[in-house]
Short mmCIF file of all heavy atoms in Angstrom, two decimals:
data_model
loop_
_atom_site.label_atom_id
_atom_site.label_comp_id
_atom_site.label_asym_id
_atom_site.label_seq_id
_atom_site.Cartn_x
_atom_site.Cartn_y
_atom_site.Cartn_z
N MET A 1 -16.70 -0.61 25.29
CA MET A 1 -15.79 -1.75 25.28
C MET A 1 -16.59 -3.05 25.29
O MET A 1 -17.51 -3.22 26.09
CB MET A 1 -14.87 -1.69 26.51
CG MET A 1 -13.79 -2.77 26.50
SD MET A 1 -12.71 -2.64 27.96
CE MET A 1 -13.59 -3.66 29.13
N ALA A 2 -16.27 -3.94 24.41
CA ALA A 2 -16.98 -5.22 24.36
C ALA A 2 -16.59 -6.09 25.54
O ALA A 2 -15.43 -6.10 25.96
CB ALA A 2 -16.65 -5.94 23.07
N ILE A 3 -17.57 -6.75 26.05
CA ILE A 3 -17.31 -7.65 27.18
C ILE A 3 -17.28 -9.09 26.68
O ILE A 3 -18.22 -9.54 26.02
CB ILE A 3 -18.39 -7.47 28.27
CG1 ILE A 3 -18.28 -6.06 28.83
CG2 ILE A 3 -18.23 -8.51 29.36
CD1 ILE A 3 -19.32 -5.74 29.88
N GLU A 4 -16.21 -9.74 26.95
CA GLU A 4 -16.06 -11.14 26.54
C GLU A 4 -16.69 -12.04 27.60
O GLU A 4 -16.49 -11.84 28.79
CB GLU A 4 -14.58 -11.50 26.40
CG GLU A 4 -13.84 -10.65 25.38
CD GLU A 4 -14.15 -11.09 23.95
OE1 GLU A 4 -14.59 -12.23 23.75
OE2 GLU A 4 -13.94 -10.27 23.05
N LEU A 5 -17.42 -13.02 27.13
CA LEU A 5 -18.09 -13.92 28.08
C LEU A 5 -17.44 -15.29 28.13
O LEU A 5 -17.91 -16.18 28.81
CB LEU A 5 -19.57 -14.08 27.71
CG LEU A 5 -20.42 -12.82 27.89
CD1 LEU A 5 -21.86 -13.10 27.51
CD2 LEU A 5 -20.33 -12.32 29.32
N GLU A 6 -16.35 -15.44 27.41
CA GLU A 6 -15.67 -16.72 27.45
C GLU A 6 -14.24 -16.53 27.87
O GLU A 6 -13.53 -15.69 27.34
CB GLU A 6 -15.69 -17.38 26.06
CG GLU A 6 -16.62 -18.58 26.00
CD GLU A 6 -16.58 -19.23 24.63
OE1 GLU A 6 -15.47 -19.40 24.09
OE2 GLU A 6 -17.65 -19.53 24.11
N SER A 7 -13.84 -17.28 28.86
CA SER A 7 -12.47 -17.18 29.36
C SER A 7 -11.83 -18.55 29.27
O SER A 7 -12.46 -19.57 29.53
CB SER A 7 -12.51 -16.70 30.82
OG SER A 7 -11.21 -16.43 31.29
N MET A 8 -10.56 -18.57 28.86
CA MET A 8 -9.84 -19.83 28.85
C MET A 8 -9.29 -20.08 30.24
O MET A 8 -8.43 -19.35 30.72
CB MET A 8 -8.67 -19.78 27.85
CG MET A 8 -9.10 -19.88 26.39
SD MET A 8 -9.93 -21.44 25.97
CE MET A 8 -8.58 -22.59 26.14
N ILE A 9 -9.79 -21.10 30.88
CA ILE A 9 -9.37 -21.44 32.24
C ILE A 9 -8.24 -22.47 32.17
O ILE A 9 -8.30 -23.40 31.37
CB ILE A 9 -10.55 -22.05 33.03
CG1 ILE A 9 -11.78 -21.14 32.99
CG2 ILE A 9 -10.14 -22.36 34.46
CD1 ILE A 9 -11.61 -19.83 33.71
N SER A 10 -7.24 -22.28 32.98
CA SER A 10 -6.17 -23.28 33.07
C SER A 10 -6.19 -23.91 34.45
O SER A 10 -6.08 -23.20 35.45
CB SER A 10 -4.80 -22.63 32.83
OG SER A 10 -4.75 -22.10 31.53
N CYS A 11 -6.29 -25.21 34.49
CA CYS A 11 -6.32 -25.91 35.77
C CYS A 11 -4.92 -25.89 36.40
O CYS A 11 -3.95 -26.29 35.76
CB CYS A 11 -6.78 -27.34 35.56
SG CYS A 11 -6.71 -28.35 37.05
N PRO A 12 -4.80 -25.42 37.66
CA PRO A 12 -3.50 -25.37 38.31
C PRO A 12 -3.01 -26.76 38.71
O PRO A 12 -1.84 -26.95 39.01
CB PRO A 12 -3.75 -24.52 39.55
CG PRO A 12 -5.22 -24.69 39.83
CD PRO A 12 -5.88 -24.91 38.49
N SER A 13 -3.90 -27.72 38.70
CA SER A 13 -3.54 -29.06 39.15
C SER A 13 -3.03 -29.93 38.00
O SER A 13 -1.99 -30.57 38.11
CB SER A 13 -4.76 -29.69 39.82
OG SER A 13 -4.53 -31.02 40.13
N CYS A 14 -3.74 -29.95 36.87
CA CYS A 14 -3.33 -30.83 35.77
C CYS A 14 -2.97 -30.06 34.51
O CYS A 14 -2.64 -30.65 33.49
CB CYS A 14 -4.43 -31.84 35.47
SG CYS A 14 -5.90 -31.12 34.70
N SER A 15 -3.06 -28.72 34.56
CA SER A 15 -2.72 -27.81 33.46
C SER A 15 -3.59 -27.97 32.22
O SER A 15 -3.29 -27.43 31.16
CB SER A 15 -1.23 -27.87 33.10
OG SER A 15 -0.93 -29.05 32.40
N PHE A 16 -4.69 -28.67 32.35
CA PHE A 16 -5.68 -28.71 31.29
C PHE A 16 -6.30 -27.32 31.14
O PHE A 16 -6.49 -26.62 32.12
CB PHE A 16 -6.75 -29.74 31.65
CG PHE A 16 -7.84 -29.89 30.63
CD1 PHE A 16 -7.57 -30.46 29.39
CD2 PHE A 16 -9.14 -29.49 30.91
CE1 PHE A 16 -8.58 -30.62 28.45
CE2 PHE A 16 -10.16 -29.65 29.97
CZ PHE A 16 -9.88 -30.22 28.74
N SER A 17 -6.58 -26.90 29.93
CA SER A 17 -7.29 -25.63 29.78
C SER A 17 -8.51 -25.82 28.90
O SER A 17 -8.52 -26.62 27.98
CB SER A 17 -6.37 -24.55 29.24
OG SER A 17 -5.86 -24.91 28.00
N TRP A 18 -9.54 -25.07 29.24
CA TRP A 18 -10.80 -25.17 28.52
C TRP A 18 -11.50 -23.82 28.53
O TRP A 18 -11.21 -22.96 29.34
CB TRP A 18 -11.69 -26.26 29.12
CG TRP A 18 -12.29 -25.94 30.45
CD1 TRP A 18 -13.58 -25.52 30.68
CD2 TRP A 18 -11.66 -26.01 31.73
NE1 TRP A 18 -13.77 -25.33 32.02
CE2 TRP A 18 -12.63 -25.62 32.68
CE3 TRP A 18 -10.38 -26.36 32.17
CZ2 TRP A 18 -12.34 -25.57 34.06
CZ3 TRP A 18 -10.09 -26.31 33.53
CH2 TRP A 18 -11.06 -25.93 34.45
N SER A 19 -12.40 -23.68 27.60
CA SER A 19 -13.13 -22.44 27.46
C SER A 19 -14.36 -22.45 28.36
O SER A 19 -15.19 -23.35 28.26
CB SER A 19 -13.54 -22.28 26.00
OG SER A 19 -14.39 -21.19 25.85
N LEU A 20 -14.45 -21.46 29.23
CA LEU A 20 -15.54 -21.40 30.19
C LEU A 20 -16.47 -20.24 29.85
O LEU A 20 -16.02 -19.11 29.65
CB LEU A 20 -14.98 -21.21 31.60
CG LEU A 20 -16.02 -21.14 32.72
CD1 LEU A 20 -16.59 -22.52 32.99
CD2 LEU A 20 -15.38 -20.58 33.98
N GLN A 21 -17.74 -20.55 29.78
CA GLN A 21 -18.76 -19.52 29.57
C GLN A 21 -19.07 -18.86 30.91
O GLN A 21 -19.38 -19.54 31.88
CB GLN A 21 -20.02 -20.19 29.01
CG GLN A 21 -21.01 -19.22 28.37
CD GLN A 21 -20.56 -18.76 27.00
OE1 GLN A 21 -19.91 -19.50 26.29
NE2 GLN A 21 -20.91 -17.54 26.64
N MET A 22 -18.97 -17.52 30.96
CA MET A 22 -19.19 -16.83 32.23
C MET A 22 -20.53 -16.13 32.23
O MET A 22 -20.93 -15.56 31.21
CB MET A 22 -18.08 -15.79 32.45
CG MET A 22 -16.70 -16.39 32.54
SD MET A 22 -15.44 -15.13 32.84
CE MET A 22 -15.32 -14.33 31.25
N PRO A 23 -21.23 -16.14 33.36
CA PRO A 23 -22.46 -15.35 33.47
C PRO A 23 -22.11 -13.87 33.41
O PRO A 23 -21.05 -13.45 33.89
CB PRO A 23 -23.03 -15.76 34.82
CG PRO A 23 -21.89 -16.32 35.59
CD PRO A 23 -20.90 -16.86 34.59
N ILE A 24 -23.01 -13.06 32.83
CA ILE A 24 -22.70 -11.65 32.59
C ILE A 24 -22.57 -10.86 33.87
O ILE A 24 -21.82 -9.90 33.95
CB ILE A 24 -23.78 -11.03 31.67
CG1 ILE A 24 -23.46 -9.59 31.28
CG2 ILE A 24 -25.18 -11.10 32.28
CD1 ILE A 24 -22.51 -9.45 30.14
N ASP A 25 -23.29 -11.23 34.91
CA ASP A 25 -23.35 -10.38 36.09
C ASP A 25 -23.14 -11.15 37.39
O ASP A 25 -23.63 -10.76 38.43
CB ASP A 25 -24.70 -9.67 36.15
CG ASP A 25 -25.86 -10.68 36.13
OD1 ASP A 25 -25.58 -11.89 36.06
OD2 ASP A 25 -27.02 -10.25 36.18
N ALA A 26 -22.46 -12.26 37.30
CA ALA A 26 -22.27 -13.04 38.52
C ALA A 26 -20.85 -13.56 38.58
O ALA A 26 -20.12 -13.58 37.59
CB ALA A 26 -23.25 -14.19 38.58
N CYS A 27 -20.46 -13.96 39.78
CA CYS A 27 -19.14 -14.51 39.99
C CYS A 27 -19.18 -16.03 40.02
O CYS A 27 -20.14 -16.62 40.50
CB CYS A 27 -18.58 -14.01 41.31
SG CYS A 27 -17.92 -12.38 41.17
N LEU A 28 -18.13 -16.62 39.53
CA LEU A 28 -17.99 -18.07 39.63
C LEU A 28 -17.03 -18.36 40.75
O LEU A 28 -15.82 -18.19 40.61
CB LEU A 28 -17.46 -18.63 38.31
CG LEU A 28 -18.46 -18.54 37.14
CD1 LEU A 28 -17.76 -18.84 35.83
CD2 LEU A 28 -19.62 -19.48 37.35
N ALA A 29 -17.58 -18.76 41.89
CA ALA A 29 -16.75 -18.96 43.07
C ALA A 29 -16.04 -20.31 43.04
O ALA A 29 -15.01 -20.47 43.68
CB ALA A 29 -17.60 -18.85 44.33
N PHE A 30 -16.59 -21.25 42.31
CA PHE A 30 -15.86 -22.50 42.13
C PHE A 30 -16.25 -23.16 40.82
O PHE A 30 -17.38 -23.07 40.37
CB PHE A 30 -16.07 -23.46 43.30
CG PHE A 30 -17.50 -23.80 43.60
CD1 PHE A 30 -18.08 -24.92 43.03
CD2 PHE A 30 -18.25 -22.99 44.44
CE1 PHE A 30 -19.41 -25.23 43.29
CE2 PHE A 30 -19.59 -23.30 44.71
CZ PHE A 30 -20.17 -24.42 44.13
N VAL A 31 -15.28 -23.77 40.19
CA VAL A 31 -15.46 -24.42 38.90
C VAL A 31 -14.70 -25.74 38.93
O VAL A 31 -13.51 -25.75 39.24
CB VAL A 31 -14.89 -23.53 37.76
CG1 VAL A 31 -14.96 -24.27 36.42
CG2 VAL A 31 -15.65 -22.23 37.66
N PRO A 32 -15.36 -26.84 38.65
CA PRO A 32 -14.64 -28.12 38.61
C PRO A 32 -13.87 -28.28 37.30
O PRO A 32 -14.37 -27.92 36.24
CB PRO A 32 -15.76 -29.16 38.74
CG PRO A 32 -17.00 -28.47 38.26
CD PRO A 32 -16.80 -26.99 38.45
N CYS A 33 -12.68 -28.80 37.41
CA CYS A 33 -11.91 -29.10 36.20
C CYS A 33 -12.55 -30.30 35.49
O CYS A 33 -12.79 -31.32 36.12
CB CYS A 33 -10.47 -29.43 36.58
SG CYS A 33 -9.49 -30.07 35.20
N PRO A 34 -12.79 -30.17 34.17
CA PRO A 34 -13.41 -31.28 33.46
C PRO A 34 -12.49 -32.49 33.29
O PRO A 34 -12.95 -33.57 32.97
CB PRO A 34 -13.79 -30.70 32.10
CG PRO A 34 -13.07 -29.42 31.98
CD PRO A 34 -12.63 -28.98 33.36
N ARG A 35 -11.19 -32.29 33.50
CA ARG A 35 -10.29 -33.42 33.32
C ARG A 35 -9.96 -34.13 34.64
O ARG A 35 -10.16 -35.32 34.77
CB ARG A 35 -8.98 -32.98 32.64
CG ARG A 35 -8.12 -34.19 32.29
CD ARG A 35 -7.05 -33.85 31.30
NE ARG A 35 -5.83 -33.50 31.97
CZ ARG A 35 -4.67 -33.32 31.33
NH1 ARG A 35 -4.60 -33.46 30.03
NH2 ARG A 35 -3.61 -32.99 32.00
N CYS A 36 -9.48 -33.38 35.64
CA CYS A 36 -9.05 -34.05 36.88
C CYS A 36 -10.05 -33.88 38.02
O CYS A 36 -9.83 -34.42 39.10
CB CYS A 36 -7.68 -33.55 37.31
SG CYS A 36 -7.68 -31.87 37.94
N ALA A 37 -11.13 -33.10 37.78
CA ALA A 37 -12.19 -32.92 38.76
C ALA A 37 -11.77 -32.11 39.98
O ALA A 37 -12.51 -31.99 40.96
CB ALA A 37 -12.79 -34.25 39.21
N GLU A 38 -10.58 -31.53 39.92
CA GLU A 38 -10.15 -30.58 40.97
C GLU A 38 -11.13 -29.40 40.98
O GLU A 38 -11.54 -28.92 39.93
CB GLU A 38 -8.74 -30.07 40.62
CG GLU A 38 -8.24 -28.97 41.51
CD GLU A 38 -7.50 -29.50 42.73
OE1 GLU A 38 -7.35 -30.73 42.85
OE2 GLU A 38 -7.06 -28.68 43.54
N ILE A 39 -11.54 -28.98 42.19
CA ILE A 39 -12.39 -27.80 42.27
C ILE A 39 -11.51 -26.56 42.34
O ILE A 39 -10.75 -26.39 43.29
CB ILE A 39 -13.31 -27.85 43.52
CG1 ILE A 39 -14.14 -29.14 43.53
CG2 ILE A 39 -14.21 -26.62 43.55
CD1 ILE A 39 -15.18 -29.23 42.45
N LEU A 40 -11.60 -25.73 41.32
CA LEU A 40 -10.83 -24.49 41.31
C LEU A 40 -11.57 -23.44 42.11
O LEU A 40 -12.77 -23.26 41.95
CB LEU A 40 -10.65 -23.99 39.87
CG LEU A 40 -9.54 -24.61 39.04
CD1 LEU A 40 -9.69 -26.10 38.90
CD2 LEU A 40 -9.50 -23.96 37.66
N ARG A 41 -10.82 -22.75 42.96
CA ARG A 41 -11.40 -21.66 43.74
C ARG A 41 -10.55 -20.42 43.52
O ARG A 41 -9.36 -20.52 43.23
CB ARG A 41 -11.42 -22.00 45.23
CG ARG A 41 -12.35 -23.15 45.54
CD ARG A 41 -12.29 -23.52 47.02
NE ARG A 41 -13.05 -24.74 47.27
CZ ARG A 41 -14.38 -24.76 47.36
NH1 ARG A 41 -15.06 -23.65 47.24
NH2 ARG A 41 -15.01 -25.89 47.57
N PRO A 42 -11.16 -19.24 43.69
CA PRO A 42 -10.39 -18.01 43.49
C PRO A 42 -9.22 -17.92 44.47
O PRO A 42 -9.33 -18.34 45.62
CB PRO A 42 -11.40 -16.89 43.78
CG PRO A 42 -12.72 -17.53 43.70
CD PRO A 42 -12.55 -18.98 44.04
N ARG A 43 -8.10 -17.37 43.99
CA ARG A 43 -6.98 -17.11 44.89
C ARG A 43 -7.33 -15.93 45.78
O ARG A 43 -8.19 -15.12 45.45
CB ARG A 43 -5.73 -16.79 44.07
CG ARG A 43 -5.09 -18.02 43.46
CD ARG A 43 -3.74 -17.68 42.84
NE ARG A 43 -3.89 -16.87 41.64
CZ ARG A 43 -3.51 -17.26 40.42
NH1 ARG A 43 -2.96 -18.43 40.24
NH2 ARG A 43 -3.67 -16.46 39.39
N THR A 44 -6.64 -15.81 46.90
CA THR A 44 -6.86 -14.71 47.81
C THR A 44 -6.74 -13.38 47.07
O THR A 44 -5.76 -13.16 46.35
CB THR A 44 -5.83 -14.76 48.96
OG1 THR A 44 -5.82 -16.07 49.50
CG2 THR A 44 -6.17 -13.76 50.05
N GLY A 45 -7.73 -12.52 47.23
CA GLY A 45 -7.70 -11.23 46.59
C GLY A 45 -8.42 -11.19 45.26
O GLY A 45 -8.68 -10.12 44.73
N ASP A 46 -8.73 -12.34 44.69
CA ASP A 46 -9.49 -12.39 43.46
C ASP A 46 -10.94 -12.73 43.77
O ASP A 46 -11.23 -13.42 44.75
CB ASP A 46 -8.93 -13.45 42.50
CG ASP A 46 -7.66 -12.97 41.81
OD1 ASP A 46 -7.48 -11.75 41.70
OD2 ASP A 46 -6.86 -13.82 41.41
N CYS A 47 -11.83 -12.24 42.92
CA CYS A 47 -13.25 -12.43 43.23
C CYS A 47 -13.79 -13.74 42.72
O CYS A 47 -14.76 -14.26 43.24
CB CYS A 47 -14.07 -11.28 42.65
SG CYS A 47 -13.96 -11.13 40.86
N CYS A 48 -13.20 -14.27 41.67
CA CYS A 48 -13.79 -15.48 41.11
C CYS A 48 -12.75 -16.27 40.31
O CYS A 48 -11.63 -15.81 40.09
CB CYS A 48 -15.01 -15.13 40.25
SG CYS A 48 -14.60 -14.09 38.86
N VAL A 49 -13.16 -17.43 39.87
CA VAL A 49 -12.25 -18.36 39.21
C VAL A 49 -11.64 -17.78 37.90
O VAL A 49 -10.43 -17.87 37.72
CB VAL A 49 -12.94 -19.71 38.96
CG1 VAL A 49 -12.10 -20.62 38.08
CG2 VAL A 49 -13.21 -20.40 40.29
N PRO A 50 -12.44 -17.18 37.02
CA PRO A 50 -11.81 -16.62 35.81
C PRO A 50 -10.76 -15.56 36.11
O PRO A 50 -9.75 -15.45 35.39
CB PRO A 50 -13.00 -16.03 35.03
CG PRO A 50 -14.18 -16.81 35.49
CD PRO A 50 -13.91 -17.12 36.93
N CYS A 51 -10.97 -14.77 37.18
CA CYS A 51 -9.98 -13.74 37.53
C CYS A 51 -8.67 -14.38 37.98
O CYS A 51 -7.60 -13.80 37.79
CB CYS A 51 -10.53 -12.84 38.63
SG CYS A 51 -11.91 -11.82 38.09
N SER A 52 -8.74 -15.55 38.59
CA SER A 52 -7.53 -16.21 39.08
C SER A 52 -6.88 -17.09 38.02
O SER A 52 -5.66 -17.10 37.88
CB SER A 52 -7.87 -17.09 40.29
OG SER A 52 -8.02 -16.31 41.45
N TYR A 53 -7.68 -17.83 37.29
CA TYR A 53 -7.13 -18.87 36.42
C TYR A 53 -7.47 -18.70 34.95
O TYR A 53 -7.06 -19.50 34.11
CB TYR A 53 -7.59 -20.24 36.91
CG TYR A 53 -7.11 -20.54 38.30
CD1 TYR A 53 -8.00 -20.56 39.36
CD2 TYR A 53 -5.76 -20.76 38.55
CE1 TYR A 53 -7.56 -20.80 40.65
CE2 TYR A 53 -5.31 -21.00 39.83
CZ TYR A 53 -6.21 -21.02 40.88
OH TYR A 53 -5.77 -21.26 42.15
N GLY A 54 -8.24 -17.68 34.61
CA GLY A 54 -8.62 -17.49 33.22
C GLY A 54 -7.73 -16.49 32.51
O GLY A 54 -6.99 -15.75 33.15
N ASP A 55 -7.82 -16.47 31.17
CA ASP A 55 -7.07 -15.46 30.43
C ASP A 55 -7.85 -14.15 30.41
O ASP A 55 -7.31 -13.11 30.01
CB ASP A 55 -6.73 -15.94 29.02
CG ASP A 55 -7.97 -16.19 28.15
OD1 ASP A 55 -9.09 -16.27 28.69
OD2 ASP A 55 -7.80 -16.29 26.93
N LEU A 56 -9.11 -14.19 30.82
CA LEU A 56 -9.91 -12.98 30.91
C LEU A 56 -10.56 -12.91 32.28
O LEU A 56 -10.97 -13.93 32.83
CB LEU A 56 -11.03 -13.02 29.87
CG LEU A 56 -10.68 -12.65 28.43
CD1 LEU A 56 -11.87 -12.94 27.54
CD2 LEU A 56 -10.27 -11.19 28.33
N ALA A 57 -10.66 -11.71 32.82
CA ALA A 57 -11.37 -11.54 34.09
C ALA A 57 -12.87 -11.66 33.85
O ALA A 57 -13.34 -11.61 32.72
CB ALA A 57 -11.03 -10.18 34.68
N CYS A 58 -13.61 -11.79 34.92
CA CYS A 58 -15.06 -11.95 34.81
C CYS A 58 -15.70 -10.67 34.24
O CYS A 58 -15.12 -9.59 34.33
CB CYS A 58 -15.65 -12.30 36.17
SG CYS A 58 -15.49 -11.00 37.40
N PRO A 59 -16.90 -10.79 33.68
CA PRO A 59 -17.55 -9.63 33.06
C PRO A 59 -17.70 -8.40 33.97
O PRO A 59 -17.44 -7.28 33.49
CB PRO A 59 -18.91 -10.19 32.62
CG PRO A 59 -18.64 -11.64 32.35
CD PRO A 59 -17.62 -12.03 33.40
N PRO A 60 -18.09 -8.53 35.25
CA PRO A 60 -18.17 -7.32 36.09
C PRO A 60 -16.83 -6.60 36.23
O PRO A 60 -16.78 -5.37 36.27
CB PRO A 60 -18.65 -7.86 37.45
CG PRO A 60 -19.36 -9.13 37.12
CD PRO A 60 -18.62 -9.72 35.96
N VAL A 61 -15.75 -7.34 36.28
CA VAL A 61 -14.43 -6.72 36.38
C VAL A 61 -14.03 -6.08 35.05
O VAL A 61 -13.47 -4.98 35.01
CB VAL A 61 -13.36 -7.75 36.84
CG1 VAL A 61 -11.96 -7.19 36.68
CG2 VAL A 61 -13.60 -8.15 38.29
N GLN A 62 -14.34 -6.73 33.93
CA GLN A 62 -14.07 -6.14 32.63
C GLN A 62 -14.80 -4.82 32.47
O GLN A 62 -14.30 -3.86 31.89
CB GLN A 62 -14.52 -7.08 31.51
CG GLN A 62 -13.66 -8.32 31.33
CD GLN A 62 -14.18 -9.17 30.18
OE1 GLN A 62 -14.41 -8.68 29.08
NE2 GLN A 62 -14.37 -10.46 30.43
N LYS A 63 -16.03 -4.75 33.02
CA LYS A 63 -16.88 -3.60 32.84
C LYS A 63 -16.52 -2.48 33.78
O LYS A 63 -16.33 -1.34 33.37
CB LYS A 63 -18.34 -4.03 33.05
CG LYS A 63 -19.38 -3.00 32.73
CD LYS A 63 -20.73 -3.68 32.55
CE LYS A 63 -21.89 -2.71 32.68
NZ LYS A 63 -22.29 -2.48 34.08
N ASP A 64 -16.42 -2.76 35.08
CA ASP A 64 -16.26 -1.71 36.08
C ASP A 64 -14.92 -1.74 36.79
O ASP A 64 -14.62 -0.86 37.57
CB ASP A 64 -17.33 -1.85 37.18
CG ASP A 64 -18.73 -1.89 36.60
OD1 ASP A 64 -18.99 -1.14 35.65
OD2 ASP A 64 -19.54 -2.69 37.11
N GLY A 65 -14.17 -2.80 36.61
CA GLY A 65 -12.92 -2.93 37.32
C GLY A 65 -13.08 -3.47 38.72
O GLY A 65 -12.11 -3.64 39.44
N ASN A 66 -14.32 -3.70 39.13
CA ASN A 66 -14.50 -4.38 40.40
C ASN A 66 -15.68 -5.33 40.32
O ASN A 66 -16.39 -5.37 39.33
CB ASN A 66 -14.65 -3.39 41.55
CG ASN A 66 -15.81 -2.47 41.33
OD1 ASN A 66 -16.90 -2.87 40.95
ND2 ASN A 66 -15.59 -1.17 41.58
N CYS A 67 -15.85 -6.07 41.36
CA CYS A 67 -16.79 -7.19 41.27
C CYS A 67 -17.85 -7.13 42.34
O CYS A 67 -17.83 -6.29 43.21
CB CYS A 67 -15.99 -8.49 41.36
SG CYS A 67 -16.84 -9.84 40.58
N CYS A 68 -18.75 -8.06 42.20
CA CYS A 68 -19.92 -8.23 43.06
C CYS A 68 -19.63 -7.99 44.55
O CYS A 68 -18.68 -8.46 45.08
CB CYS A 68 -20.46 -9.63 42.89
SG CYS A 68 -19.34 -10.76 42.05
ZN1 LIG B 101 -7.43 -30.31 36.24
#
């Protein structure tokens, strides 16, 4: 299965969305919104920002179903 390294993130604060490049083997615990500068953090139970706010989960989750 191909692993996608780009996830479309949607900001919960201003609803801006942008394409985020994800590291192959690491979690993104916080990502600043490029428009409103809100710091996005994972929701409870999610490992990282793409899993909470992206259209794709992070690469470790895509690969194994679980994370770091
Ligand atoms: Zn925003």
Side-chain angles (χ1 to χ4, degrees):
M1 186 179 89
I3 296 178
E4 300 283 340
L5 292 181
E6 251 182 45
S7 187
M8 285 298 292
I9 306 293
S10 298
C11 174
S13 173
C14 71
S15 74
F16 180 69
S17 60
W18 72 101
S19 172
L20 181 74
Q21 197 76 31
M22 298 182 286
I24 185 82
D25 57 359
C27 280
L28 291 168
F30 56 93
V31 174
C33 171
R35 188 164 93 171
C36 71
E38 173 89 2
I39 304 292
L40 278 58
R41 294 177 187 282
R43 283 189 290 242
T44 310
D46 283 335
C47 61
C48 61
V49 171
C51 293
S52 282
Y53 299 109
D55 64 345
L56 280 172
C58 65
V61 169
Q62 288 181 50
K63 188 162 161 276
D64 307 320
N66 59 45
C67 205
C68 14

